[in-house]
Tab-separated table of all heavy atoms in Angstrom:
chain	number	residue	atom	x	y	z
A	1	MET	N	-67.784	31.183	-94.500
A	1	MET	CA	-66.388	31.029	-94.854
A	1	MET	C	-66.289	30.408	-96.240
A	1	MET	O	-66.923	29.421	-96.540
A	1	MET	CB	-65.702	30.142	-93.818
A	1	MET	CG	-64.267	29.903	-94.097
A	1	MET	SD	-63.543	28.923	-92.736
A	1	MET	CE	-61.982	28.618	-93.430
A	2	THR	N	-65.474	30.996	-97.042
A	2	THR	CA	-65.276	30.465	-98.395
A	2	THR	C	-63.856	29.955	-98.540
A	2	THR	O	-62.938	30.432	-97.885
A	2	THR	CB	-65.538	31.550	-99.451
A	2	THR	OG1	-64.630	32.616	-99.225
A	2	THR	CG2	-66.953	32.054	-99.391
A	3	THR	N	-63.720	28.977	-99.376
A	3	THR	CA	-62.405	28.422	-99.674
A	3	THR	C	-62.051	28.770	-101.107
A	3	THR	O	-62.805	28.458	-102.020
A	3	THR	CB	-62.408	26.890	-99.498
A	3	THR	OG1	-62.828	26.595	-98.179
A	3	THR	CG2	-61.039	26.326	-99.763
A	4	GLU	N	-60.939	29.408	-101.238
A	4	GLU	CA	-60.498	29.745	-102.592
A	4	GLU	C	-59.486	28.718	-103.075
A	4	GLU	O	-58.569	28.342	-102.356
A	4	GLU	CB	-59.846	31.128	-102.611
A	4	GLU	CG	-60.833	32.253	-102.433
A	4	GLU	CD	-60.145	33.597	-102.608
A	4	GLU	OE1	-59.192	33.669	-103.407
A	4	GLU	OE2	-60.569	34.546	-101.933
A	5	ILE	N	-59.709	28.292	-104.257
A	5	ILE	CA	-58.751	27.385	-104.886
A	5	ILE	C	-58.132	28.139	-106.056
A	5	ILE	O	-58.825	28.556	-106.978
A	5	ILE	CB	-59.432	26.097	-105.375
A	5	ILE	CG1	-60.063	25.359	-104.198
A	5	ILE	CG2	-58.433	25.227	-106.115
A	5	ILE	CD1	-60.869	24.151	-104.606
A	6	LEU	N	-56.841	28.297	-105.967
A	6	LEU	CA	-56.136	28.984	-107.041
A	6	LEU	C	-55.635	27.960	-108.053
A	6	LEU	O	-54.893	27.054	-107.718
A	6	LEU	CB	-54.957	29.778	-106.496
A	6	LEU	CG	-55.311	30.900	-105.524
A	6	LEU	CD1	-54.049	31.541	-104.982
A	6	LEU	CD2	-56.179	31.938	-106.223
A	7	VAL	N	-56.079	28.104	-109.245
A	7	VAL	CA	-55.615	27.228	-110.317
A	7	VAL	C	-54.655	28.026	-111.172
A	7	VAL	O	-55.037	29.005	-111.803
A	7	VAL	CB	-56.790	26.700	-111.166
A	7	VAL	CG1	-56.263	25.824	-112.278
A	7	VAL	CG2	-57.773	25.959	-110.294
A	8	ARG	N	-53.426	27.600	-111.138
A	8	ARG	CA	-52.429	28.277	-111.942
A	8	ARG	C	-52.104	27.441	-113.167
A	8	ARG	O	-52.220	26.227	-113.159
A	8	ARG	CB	-51.161	28.507	-111.147
A	8	ARG	CG	-51.353	29.460	-110.008
A	8	ARG	CD	-50.061	29.712	-109.306
A	8	ARG	NE	-50.277	30.647	-108.209
A	8	ARG	CZ	-49.450	30.811	-107.203
A	8	ARG	NH1	-48.334	30.120	-107.164
A	8	ARG	NH2	-49.703	31.664	-106.253
A	9	ASP	N	-51.701	28.103	-114.172
A	9	ASP	CA	-51.319	27.416	-115.392
A	9	ASP	C	-49.890	26.894	-115.205
A	9	ASP	O	-48.926	27.613	-115.412
A	9	ASP	CB	-51.397	28.393	-116.563
A	9	ASP	CG	-51.188	27.666	-117.882
A	9	ASP	OD1	-51.336	26.434	-117.917
A	9	ASP	OD2	-50.866	28.338	-118.873
A	10	VAL	N	-49.805	25.654	-114.743
A	10	VAL	CA	-48.496	25.071	-114.446
A	10	VAL	C	-48.087	24.165	-115.591
A	10	VAL	O	-48.772	23.196	-115.908
A	10	VAL	CB	-48.546	24.268	-113.130
A	10	VAL	CG1	-47.191	23.647	-112.855
A	10	VAL	CG2	-48.980	25.165	-111.995
A	11	ARG	N	-46.996	24.511	-116.182
A	11	ARG	CA	-46.461	23.676	-117.263
A	11	ARG	C	-45.004	23.371	-116.963
A	11	ARG	O	-44.294	24.207	-116.394
A	11	ARG	CB	-46.545	24.419	-118.600
A	11	ARG	CG	-47.957	24.662	-119.047
A	11	ARG	CD	-47.992	25.353	-120.373
A	11	ARG	NE	-49.376	25.686	-120.709
A	11	ARG	CZ	-49.726	26.461	-121.701
A	11	ARG	NH1	-48.807	27.007	-122.461
A	11	ARG	NH2	-50.997	26.705	-121.942
A	12	PRO	N	-44.547	22.189	-117.340
A	12	PRO	CA	-43.129	21.882	-117.117
A	12	PRO	C	-42.242	22.802	-117.956
A	12	PRO	O	-42.605	23.181	-119.066
A	12	PRO	CB	-42.994	20.424	-117.561
A	12	PRO	CG	-44.189	20.155	-118.395
A	12	PRO	CD	-45.274	21.084	-117.952
A	13	ALA	N	-41.122	23.139	-117.375
A	13	ALA	CA	-40.197	24.010	-118.085
A	13	ALA	C	-39.585	23.269	-119.259
A	13	ALA	O	-39.221	22.104	-119.148
A	13	ALA	CB	-39.105	24.475	-117.139
A	14	ALA	N	-39.497	23.925	-120.352
A	14	ALA	CA	-38.891	23.329	-121.532
A	14	ALA	C	-37.377	23.244	-121.338
A	14	ALA	O	-36.753	24.190	-120.861
A	14	ALA	CB	-39.221	24.150	-122.758
A	15	ILE	N	-36.819	22.092	-121.675
A	15	ILE	CA	-35.378	21.912	-121.569
A	15	ILE	C	-34.800	21.920	-122.984
A	15	ILE	O	-35.172	21.095	-123.805
A	15	ILE	CB	-35.029	20.588	-120.868
A	15	ILE	CG1	-35.660	20.553	-119.476
A	15	ILE	CG2	-33.526	20.403	-120.784
A	15	ILE	CD1	-35.515	19.230	-118.776
A	16	PRO	N	-33.913	22.843	-123.264
A	16	PRO	CA	-33.350	22.911	-124.612
A	16	PRO	C	-32.534	21.666	-124.951
A	16	PRO	O	-31.887	21.079	-124.086
A	16	PRO	CB	-32.431	24.138	-124.566
A	16	PRO	CG	-32.786	24.869	-123.337
A	16	PRO	CD	-33.425	23.903	-122.407
A	17	VAL	N	-32.593	21.265	-126.198
A	17	VAL	CA	-31.860	20.077	-126.648
A	17	VAL	C	-30.369	20.235	-126.389
A	17	VAL	O	-29.681	19.275	-126.048
A	17	VAL	CB	-32.134	19.830	-128.148
A	17	VAL	CG1	-31.262	18.709	-128.679
A	17	VAL	CG2	-33.597	19.514	-128.370
A	18	ARG	N	-29.880	21.464	-126.500
A	18	ARG	CA	-28.453	21.717	-126.287
A	18	ARG	C	-28.020	21.321	-124.870
A	18	ARG	O	-26.909	20.870	-124.664
A	18	ARG	CB	-28.158	23.188	-126.539
A	18	ARG	CG	-26.710	23.550	-126.380
A	18	ARG	CD	-26.471	24.988	-126.713
A	18	ARG	NE	-26.643	25.207	-128.152
A	18	ARG	CZ	-26.593	26.406	-128.713
A	18	ARG	NH1	-26.399	27.471	-127.986
A	18	ARG	NH2	-26.745	26.530	-130.005
A	19	ASP	N	-28.935	21.454	-123.907
A	19	ASP	CA	-28.603	21.083	-122.529
A	19	ASP	C	-28.655	19.577	-122.314
A	19	ASP	O	-27.987	19.042	-121.435
A	19	ASP	CB	-29.569	21.758	-121.555
A	19	ASP	CG	-29.348	23.261	-121.500
A	19	ASP	OD1	-28.326	23.719	-122.039
A	19	ASP	OD2	-30.207	23.959	-120.927
A	20	ILE	N	-29.497	18.901	-123.076
A	20	ILE	CA	-29.672	17.464	-122.899
A	20	ILE	C	-28.629	16.670	-123.675
A	20	ILE	O	-28.260	15.565	-123.283
A	20	ILE	CB	-31.092	17.039	-123.347
A	20	ILE	CG1	-32.143	17.731	-122.494
A	20	ILE	CG2	-31.274	15.548	-123.281
A	20	ILE	CD1	-33.548	17.449	-122.931
A	21	LEU	N	-28.136	17.232	-124.773
A	21	LEU	CA	-27.296	16.494	-125.713
A	21	LEU	C	-26.101	15.787	-125.085
A	21	LEU	O	-25.898	14.591	-125.351
A	21	LEU	CB	-26.842	17.430	-126.836
A	21	LEU	CG	-26.324	16.747	-128.092
A	21	LEU	CD1	-27.394	15.835	-128.682
A	21	LEU	CD2	-25.894	17.771	-129.117
A	22	PRO	N	-25.298	16.420	-124.227
A	22	PRO	CA	-24.153	15.682	-123.652
A	22	PRO	C	-24.581	14.466	-122.836
A	22	PRO	O	-23.947	13.416	-122.908
A	22	PRO	CB	-23.472	16.716	-122.745
A	22	PRO	CG	-23.978	18.021	-123.180
A	22	PRO	CD	-25.307	17.813	-123.806
A	23	PHE	N	-25.674	14.598	-122.093
A	23	PHE	CA	-26.160	13.469	-121.303
A	23	PHE	C	-26.695	12.372	-122.209
A	23	PHE	O	-26.519	11.184	-121.941
A	23	PHE	CB	-27.238	13.931	-120.324
A	23	PHE	CG	-26.737	14.931	-119.342
A	23	PHE	CD1	-27.003	16.277	-119.506
A	23	PHE	CD2	-25.968	14.529	-118.266
A	23	PHE	CE1	-26.527	17.207	-118.599
A	23	PHE	CE2	-25.483	15.448	-117.358
A	23	PHE	CZ	-25.765	16.795	-117.532
A	24	ALA	N	-27.365	12.756	-123.289
A	24	ALA	CA	-27.901	11.769	-124.227
A	24	ALA	C	-26.763	10.999	-124.893
A	24	ALA	O	-26.838	9.772	-125.048
A	24	ALA	CB	-28.774	12.456	-125.275
A	25	ILE	N	-25.707	11.704	-125.279
A	25	ILE	CA	-24.549	11.039	-125.903
A	25	ILE	C	-23.887	10.100	-124.896
A	25	ILE	O	-23.558	8.957	-125.219
A	25	ILE	CB	-23.555	12.087	-126.435
A	25	ILE	CG1	-24.162	12.805	-127.637
A	25	ILE	CG2	-22.238	11.434	-126.814
A	25	ILE	CD1	-23.339	13.984	-128.135
A	26	TRP	N	-23.707	10.556	-123.678
A	26	TRP	CA	-23.085	9.726	-122.643
A	26	TRP	C	-23.922	8.482	-122.367
A	26	TRP	O	-23.394	7.369	-122.287
A	26	TRP	CB	-22.892	10.553	-121.373
A	26	TRP	CG	-22.330	9.803	-120.229
A	26	TRP	CD1	-22.917	9.552	-119.038
A	26	TRP	CD2	-21.039	9.166	-120.151
A	26	TRP	NE1	-22.089	8.810	-118.228
A	26	TRP	CE2	-20.928	8.567	-118.894
A	26	TRP	CE3	-19.987	9.048	-121.042
A	26	TRP	CZ2	-19.800	7.859	-118.508
A	26	TRP	CZ3	-18.859	8.332	-120.639
A	26	TRP	CH2	-18.784	7.762	-119.390
A	27	PHE	N	-25.234	8.651	-122.246
A	27	PHE	CA	-26.115	7.517	-121.998
A	27	PHE	C	-26.090	6.548	-123.178
A	27	PHE	O	-26.095	5.329	-123.002
A	27	PHE	CB	-27.544	8.012	-121.736
A	27	PHE	CG	-28.490	6.926	-121.358
A	27	PHE	CD1	-28.409	6.302	-120.113
A	27	PHE	CD2	-29.469	6.506	-122.236
A	27	PHE	CE1	-29.277	5.291	-119.761
A	27	PHE	CE2	-30.346	5.501	-121.902
A	27	PHE	CZ	-30.252	4.892	-120.663
A	28	GLY	N	-26.052	7.090	-124.401
A	28	GLY	CA	-25.976	6.235	-125.580
A	28	GLY	C	-24.696	5.417	-125.607
A	28	GLY	O	-24.718	4.228	-125.948
A	29	LEU	N	-23.575	6.039	-125.234
A	29	LEU	CA	-22.309	5.305	-125.191
A	29	LEU	C	-22.345	4.211	-124.126
A	29	LEU	O	-21.844	3.104	-124.355
A	29	LEU	CB	-21.153	6.268	-124.926
A	29	LEU	CG	-20.776	7.180	-126.097
A	29	LEU	CD1	-19.706	8.171	-125.657
A	29	LEU	CD2	-20.291	6.371	-127.281
A	30	LEU	N	-22.945	4.513	-122.981
A	30	LEU	CA	-23.072	3.494	-121.940
A	30	LEU	C	-23.927	2.327	-122.419
A	30	LEU	O	-23.620	1.162	-122.143
A	30	LEU	CB	-23.673	4.097	-120.676
A	30	LEU	CG	-22.754	4.968	-119.833
A	30	LEU	CD1	-23.499	5.485	-118.610
A	30	LEU	CD2	-21.526	4.200	-119.403
A	31	CYS	N	-25.003	2.639	-123.166
A	31	CYS	CA	-25.864	1.577	-123.690
A	31	CYS	C	-25.102	0.721	-124.703
A	31	CYS	O	-25.232	-0.500	-124.707
A	31	CYS	CB	-27.121	2.162	-124.327
A	31	CYS	SG	-28.290	2.780	-123.119
A	32	LEU	N	-24.320	1.381	-125.567
A	32	LEU	CA	-23.529	0.619	-126.533
A	32	LEU	C	-22.521	-0.281	-125.822
A	32	LEU	O	-22.305	-1.425	-126.230
A	32	LEU	CB	-22.809	1.570	-127.490
A	32	LEU	CG	-23.681	2.228	-128.544
A	32	LEU	CD1	-22.850	3.213	-129.364
A	32	LEU	CD2	-24.313	1.192	-129.443
A	33	LEU	N	-21.910	0.241	-124.764
A	33	LEU	CA	-20.958	-0.556	-123.994
A	33	LEU	C	-21.663	-1.756	-123.362
A	33	LEU	O	-21.138	-2.882	-123.368
A	33	LEU	CB	-20.301	0.318	-122.924
A	33	LEU	CG	-19.117	-0.286	-122.189
A	33	LEU	CD1	-17.943	-0.434	-123.148
A	33	LEU	CD2	-18.717	0.589	-121.022
A	34	ALA	N	-22.861	-1.529	-122.825
A	34	ALA	CA	-23.615	-2.627	-122.216
A	34	ALA	C	-23.976	-3.674	-123.262
A	34	ALA	O	-23.869	-4.881	-123.013
A	34	ALA	CB	-24.876	-2.087	-121.546
A	35	ILE	N	-24.393	-3.224	-124.459
A	35	ILE	CA	-24.737	-4.169	-125.520
A	35	ILE	C	-23.496	-4.958	-125.944
A	35	ILE	O	-23.567	-6.157	-126.209
A	35	ILE	CB	-25.368	-3.429	-126.711
A	35	ILE	CG1	-26.768	-2.962	-126.336
A	35	ILE	CG2	-25.412	-4.316	-127.950
A	35	ILE	CD1	-27.441	-2.110	-127.379
A	36	TYR	N	-22.354	-4.268	-125.979
A	36	TYR	CA	-21.114	-4.987	-126.316
A	36	TYR	C	-20.820	-6.075	-125.286
A	36	TYR	O	-20.529	-7.213	-125.648
A	36	TYR	CB	-19.931	-4.019	-126.401
A	36	TYR	CG	-18.613	-4.736	-126.418
A	36	TYR	CD1	-18.194	-5.411	-127.562
A	36	TYR	CD2	-17.823	-4.797	-125.282
A	36	TYR	CE1	-17.002	-6.106	-127.575
A	36	TYR	CE2	-16.625	-5.491	-125.284
A	36	TYR	CZ	-16.215	-6.150	-126.430
A	36	TYR	OH	-15.047	-6.831	-126.432
A	37	PHE	N	-20.920	-5.712	-124.011
A	37	PHE	CA	-20.586	-6.694	-122.986
A	37	PHE	C	-21.568	-7.856	-122.980
A	37	PHE	O	-21.189	-9.006	-122.763
A	37	PHE	CB	-20.530	-6.038	-121.602
A	37	PHE	CG	-19.191	-5.435	-121.302
A	37	PHE	CD1	-19.040	-4.069	-121.152
A	37	PHE	CD2	-18.066	-6.241	-121.182
A	37	PHE	CE1	-17.806	-3.509	-120.886
A	37	PHE	CE2	-16.825	-5.693	-120.923
A	37	PHE	CZ	-16.687	-4.326	-120.772
A	38	VAL	N	-22.843	-7.564	-123.216
A	38	VAL	CA	-23.830	-8.643	-123.214
A	38	VAL	C	-23.723	-9.475	-124.487
A	38	VAL	O	-23.813	-10.699	-124.456
A	38	VAL	CB	-25.259	-8.063	-123.069
A	38	VAL	CG1	-26.296	-9.150	-123.276
A	38	VAL	CG2	-25.434	-7.423	-121.708
A	39	GLY	N	-23.478	-8.836	-125.616
A	39	GLY	CA	-23.582	-9.534	-126.890
A	39	GLY	C	-22.300	-10.091	-127.431
A	39	GLY	O	-22.310	-11.103	-128.136
A	40	ALA	N	-21.167	-9.448	-127.167
A	40	ALA	CA	-19.953	-9.856	-127.865
A	40	ALA	C	-18.827	-10.273	-126.939
A	40	ALA	O	-17.942	-11.002	-127.362
A	40	ALA	CB	-19.468	-8.711	-128.752
A	41	GLU	N	-18.846	-9.814	-125.720
A	41	GLU	CA	-17.744	-10.113	-124.812
A	41	GLU	C	-17.700	-11.611	-124.505
A	41	GLU	O	-18.698	-12.198	-124.127
A	41	GLU	CB	-17.921	-9.315	-123.515
A	41	GLU	CG	-16.969	-9.687	-122.422
A	41	GLU	CD	-15.518	-9.352	-122.745
A	41	GLU	OE1	-15.273	-8.380	-123.467
A	41	GLU	OE2	-14.640	-10.088	-122.276
A	42	GLN	N	-16.542	-12.217	-124.690
A	42	GLN	CA	-16.414	-13.650	-124.455
A	42	GLN	C	-15.482	-13.968	-123.295
A	42	GLN	O	-15.122	-15.128	-123.112
A	42	GLN	CB	-15.903	-14.342	-125.729
A	42	GLN	CG	-16.920	-14.344	-126.857
A	42	GLN	CD	-18.156	-15.161	-126.546
A	42	GLN	OE1	-18.099	-16.123	-125.799
A	42	GLN	NE2	-19.289	-14.766	-127.091
A	43	GLY	N	-15.064	-12.939	-122.565
A	43	GLY	CA	-14.243	-13.217	-121.385
A	43	GLY	C	-15.032	-14.036	-120.388
A	43	GLY	O	-16.245	-13.887	-120.272
A	44	ALA	N	-14.359	-14.916	-119.680
A	44	ALA	CA	-15.049	-15.891	-118.842
A	44	ALA	C	-15.881	-15.217	-117.749
A	44	ALA	O	-17.055	-15.552	-117.561
A	44	ALA	CB	-14.037	-16.835	-118.212
A	45	TYR	N	-15.309	-14.247	-117.044
A	45	TYR	CA	-16.028	-13.658	-115.914
A	45	TYR	C	-17.218	-12.826	-116.371
A	45	TYR	O	-18.335	-12.997	-115.873
A	45	TYR	CB	-15.072	-12.811	-115.077
A	45	TYR	CG	-15.751	-12.142	-113.912
A	45	TYR	CD1	-16.173	-12.895	-112.816
A	45	TYR	CD2	-15.991	-10.780	-113.922
A	45	TYR	CE1	-16.813	-12.293	-111.761
A	45	TYR	CE2	-16.625	-10.175	-112.863
A	45	TYR	CZ	-17.032	-10.933	-111.788
A	45	TYR	OH	-17.675	-10.330	-110.744
A	46	VAL	N	-16.987	-11.936	-117.342
A	46	VAL	CA	-18.071	-11.067	-117.818
A	46	VAL	C	-19.151	-11.896	-118.498
A	46	VAL	O	-20.341	-11.650	-118.336
A	46	VAL	CB	-17.516	-9.988	-118.776
A	46	VAL	CG1	-18.629	-9.162	-119.370
A	46	VAL	CG2	-16.539	-9.096	-118.038
A	47	HIS	N	-18.740	-12.909	-119.222
A	47	HIS	CA	-19.710	-13.764	-119.907
A	47	HIS	C	-20.656	-14.417	-118.895
A	47	HIS	O	-21.869	-14.464	-119.106
A	47	HIS	CB	-18.979	-14.830	-120.719
A	47	HIS	CG	-19.898	-15.732	-121.468
A	47	HIS	ND1	-20.349	-15.443	-122.736
A	47	HIS	CD2	-20.484	-16.908	-121.115
A	47	HIS	CE1	-21.152	-16.417	-123.129
A	47	HIS	NE2	-21.259	-17.314	-122.179
A	48	GLU	N	-20.104	-14.917	-117.812
A	48	GLU	CA	-20.945	-15.540	-116.795
A	48	GLU	C	-21.834	-14.517	-116.112
A	48	GLU	O	-22.965	-14.793	-115.757
A	48	GLU	CB	-20.078	-16.252	-115.749
A	48	GLU	CG	-19.380	-17.480	-116.286
A	48	GLU	CD	-20.359	-18.501	-116.854
A	48	GLU	OE1	-21.413	-18.733	-116.232
A	48	GLU	OE2	-20.063	-19.042	-117.930
A	49	LEU	N	-21.309	-13.305	-115.957
A	49	LEU	CA	-22.066	-12.260	-115.275
A	49	LEU	C	-23.307	-11.844	-116.067
A	49	LEU	O	-24.360	-11.590	-115.500
A	49	LEU	CB	-21.160	-11.041	-115.064
A	49	LEU	CG	-21.428	-10.178	-113.859
A	49	LEU	CD1	-21.100	-10.938	-112.586
A	49	LEU	CD2	-20.611	-8.919	-113.932
A	50	VAL	N	-23.202	-11.784	-117.382
A	50	VAL	CA	-24.308	-11.298	-118.218
A	50	VAL	C	-24.967	-12.432	-118.986
A	50	VAL	O	-25.718	-12.200	-119.927
A	50	VAL	CB	-23.821	-10.215	-119.200
A	50	VAL	CG1	-23.312	-9.005	-118.447
A	50	VAL	CG2	-22.757	-10.744	-120.131
A	51	HIS	N	-24.731	-13.666	-118.559
A	51	HIS	CA	-25.195	-14.812	-119.329
A	51	HIS	C	-26.710	-14.858	-119.481
A	51	HIS	O	-27.234	-15.113	-120.570
A	51	HIS	CB	-24.675	-16.097	-118.665
A	51	HIS	CG	-24.909	-17.308	-119.482
A	51	HIS	ND1	-25.518	-18.423	-119.003
A	51	HIS	CD2	-24.635	-17.564	-120.783
A	51	HIS	CE1	-25.599	-19.319	-119.955
A	51	HIS	NE2	-25.072	-18.826	-121.047
A	52	ASP	N	-27.449	-14.583	-118.417
A	52	ASP	CA	-28.911	-14.622	-118.495
A	52	ASP	C	-29.445	-13.516	-119.400
A	52	ASP	O	-30.387	-13.739	-120.166
A	52	ASP	CB	-29.519	-14.497	-117.100
A	52	ASP	CG	-29.287	-15.749	-116.270
A	52	ASP	OD1	-28.969	-16.797	-116.868
A	52	ASP	OD2	-29.406	-15.670	-115.044
A	53	GLY	N	-28.825	-12.339	-119.308
A	53	GLY	CA	-29.234	-11.251	-120.186
A	53	GLY	C	-28.988	-11.581	-121.647
A	53	GLY	O	-29.751	-11.210	-122.532
A	54	ARG	N	-27.929	-12.302	-121.884
A	54	ARG	CA	-27.598	-12.739	-123.233
A	54	ARG	C	-28.699	-13.616	-123.800
A	54	ARG	O	-29.157	-13.418	-124.928
A	54	ARG	CB	-26.281	-13.502	-123.151
A	54	ARG	CG	-25.553	-13.723	-124.404
A	54	ARG	CD	-24.262	-14.461	-124.049
A	54	ARG	NE	-23.494	-14.742	-125.214
A	54	ARG	CZ	-22.525	-13.941	-125.653
A	54	ARG	NH1	-22.230	-12.859	-125.006
A	54	ARG	NH2	-21.864	-14.242	-126.735
A	55	HIS	N	-29.169	-14.572	-123.019
A	55	HIS	CA	-30.242	-15.453	-123.477
A	55	HIS	C	-31.543	-14.672	-123.584
A	55	HIS	O	-32.328	-14.882	-124.503
A	55	HIS	CB	-30.410	-16.631	-122.512
A	55	HIS	CG	-29.388	-17.689	-122.722
A	55	HIS	ND1	-29.561	-18.739	-123.560
A	55	HIS	CD2	-28.150	-17.816	-122.210
A	55	HIS	CE1	-28.482	-19.500	-123.554
A	55	HIS	NE2	-27.603	-18.956	-122.736
A	56	LEU	N	-31.772	-13.771	-122.645
A	56	LEU	CA	-32.999	-12.978	-122.653
A	56	LEU	C	-33.118	-12.151	-123.920
A	56	LEU	O	-34.200	-12.026	-124.507
A	56	LEU	CB	-33.036	-12.075	-121.424
A	56	LEU	CG	-34.274	-11.209	-121.255
A	56	LEU	CD1	-35.467	-12.075	-120.883
A	56	LEU	CD2	-34.046	-10.156	-120.212
A	57	LEU	N	-32.005	-11.597	-124.383
A	57	LEU	CA	-32.028	-10.741	-125.564
A	57	LEU	C	-31.852	-11.507	-126.860
A	57	LEU	O	-31.912	-10.931	-127.931
A	57	LEU	CB	-30.918	-9.672	-125.447
A	57	LEU	CG	-31.113	-8.688	-124.291
A	57	LEU	CD1	-29.911	-7.779	-124.177
A	57	LEU	CD2	-32.377	-7.879	-124.493
A	58	GLY	N	-31.654	-12.814	-126.769
A	58	GLY	CA	-31.603	-13.639	-127.973
A	58	GLY	C	-30.260	-13.648	-128.670
A	58	GLY	O	-30.203	-14.009	-129.850
A	59	PHE	N	-29.201	-13.268	-127.992
A	59	PHE	CA	-27.888	-13.360	-128.621
A	59	PHE	C	-27.469	-14.823	-128.671
A	59	PHE	O	-27.749	-15.584	-127.743
A	59	PHE	CB	-26.848	-12.573	-127.814
A	59	PHE	CG	-26.949	-11.101	-128.009
A	59	PHE	CD1	-27.523	-10.290	-127.050
A	59	PHE	CD2	-26.442	-10.495	-129.157
A	59	PHE	CE1	-27.629	-8.931	-127.226
A	59	PHE	CE2	-26.530	-9.123	-129.335
A	59	PHE	CZ	-27.116	-8.356	-128.369
A	60	PRO	N	-26.795	-15.218	-129.735
A	60	PRO	CA	-26.307	-16.595	-129.782
A	60	PRO	C	-25.281	-16.839	-128.696
A	60	PRO	O	-24.427	-15.979	-128.461
A	60	PRO	CB	-25.686	-16.715	-131.182
A	60	PRO	CG	-25.446	-15.329	-131.632
A	60	PRO	CD	-26.435	-14.458	-130.929
A	61	CYS	N	-25.375	-17.943	-128.043
A	61	CYS	CA	-24.514	-18.152	-126.882
A	61	CYS	C	-23.792	-19.491	-126.956
A	61	CYS	O	-22.626	-19.549	-127.221
A	61	CYS	CB	-25.356	-18.069	-125.614
A	61	CYS	SG	-24.395	-18.111	-124.121
A	62	HIS	N	-24.497	-20.560	-126.754
A	62	HIS	CA	-23.851	-21.867	-126.759
A	62	HIS	C	-24.786	-22.912	-127.315
A	62	HIS	O	-25.886	-22.623	-127.667
A	62	HIS	CB	-23.381	-22.266	-125.352
A	62	HIS	CG	-24.428	-22.113	-124.299
A	62	HIS	ND1	-25.338	-23.065	-123.993
A	62	HIS	CD2	-24.709	-21.041	-123.502
A	62	HIS	CE1	-26.127	-22.627	-123.024
A	62	HIS	NE2	-25.784	-21.400	-122.717
B	101	ZN	ZN1	-25.819	-19.401	-122.664
């Protein structure tokens, strides 16, 4: 009895930049919003919520 092993040339499918672009822009905007809230937002509730992240990233705080 023989065992055959089929080795196929498996490569990941290429994803065109045009398909990724809207998601990349959306993710970038979310990141900018997060940086704003961590770095610049001075509202009492949000400030307390992201306070540790603020110190972790080295933003001036208090
Ligand atoms: Zn602080």
Side-chain angles (χ1 to χ4, degrees):
M1 179 176 172
T2 60
T3 303
E4 288 186 32
I5 299 174
L6 298 176
V7 179
R8 294 183 180 162
D9 188 19
V10 179
R11 294 182 185 170
I15 302 173
V17 173
R18 181 177 290 175
D19 291 349
I20 298 176
L21 198 59
F23 298 101
I25 290 173
W26 177 243
F27 185 71
L29 288 175
L30 285 180
C31 287
L32 286 176
L33 190 68
I35 288 175
Y36 166 74
F37 274 114
V38 171
E41 171 66 31
Q42 291 295 331
Y45 179 71
V46 175
H47 181 88
E48 291 303 318
L49 210 68
V50 297
H51 189 232
D52 289 342
R54 196 178 179 94
H55 281 269
L56 182 71
L57 295 174
F59 284 103
C61 187
H62 49 87

